[in-house]
Amino acid sequence: MKTVIDAVNELDMDIWKNAPEGATHYDVSPDVYPWIKEDDNGNKFWYHNEWVNYIHPISERDCHTRRPQPTPIFTQEMVDNGVLPGVGMECQTSTGILTIKYVGQKVVVSEDSEGMEFMTSMKSALHSFKPLTPPMTLNDGECYQFNSPSGGLFKGYYIPTKGLFVAHRGNFDAHLCTNIQPLTVEVK
């Protein structure tokens, strides 16, 4: 079911499909010039296919909509290359889903959904932050290949009543596993 926020986000994306290169704002009550570009050299508006000086500071008007920015994503490729997540990225940890707030030289600060902050050393962060896997419907008794919370690659079957993957070397909480791939039988 679509929410009001989903509908507004879709409308925002439709607006930006027609934006000229470099546009940072859209004037929601445009007289003639809806596209605005904010940069270090002053504000500009789009007029006859070119950027011209815009005398009104954007911060003084409340009818400007800032161009939406994509949410940064922490990927498995980053994990494989030993790259830490950046500020704003969501990560899976043994304690749940955390959002990265700060990445320094020695520590990473993250926050859970309730606003509780956690500080992790750089050394621990490389092993504790995992990318969020897209939601996948796991089927009772079907076989999957997955990375365990400790990073090992396993194959096993899923038991939904317990939320576990059962493998030859143990059982693993499915919500802590990453890179889950269904295994299929190939007929030759």
Side-chain angles (χ1 to χ4, degrees), residues 135-175:
M136 174 187 274
T137 303
L138 301 174
N139 297 313
D140 186 9
E142 289 196 14
C143 294
Y144 296 89
Q145 177 176 298
F146 55 92
N147 288 91
S148 73
S150 61
L153 181 65
F154 291 91
K155 293 177 183 162
Y157 63 93
Y158 179 65
I159 301 176
T161 55
K162 297 185 180 193
L164 292 176
F165 284 119
V166 177
H168 68 283
R169 291 194 203 147
N171 301 333
F172 302 93
D173 287 327
H175 74 280

Side-chain angles (χ1 to χ4, degrees), residues 97-101 109-118:
I97 297 174
L98 300 176
T99 303
I100 303 301
K101 288 187 71 176
V109 177
S110 52
E111 179 179 76
D112 67 11
S113 61
E114 296 172 4
M116 184 103 161
E117 288 190 357
F118 300 89

Side-chain angles (χ1 to χ4, degrees), residues 74 76 78-80 82-85 91-95 108 120-131 148-152 176 178:
F74 185 47
Q76 184 61 44
M78 292 170 75
V79 172
D80 294 343
V83 176
L84 286 172
C91 305
Q92 179 72 48
T93 67
S94 59
T95 59
V108 176
T120 310
S121 72
M122 282 296 189
K123 186 175 181 181
S124 296
L126 283 170
H127 303 290
S128 59
F129 294 122
K130 307 286 182 209
S148 73
S150 61
L176 297 177
T178 58

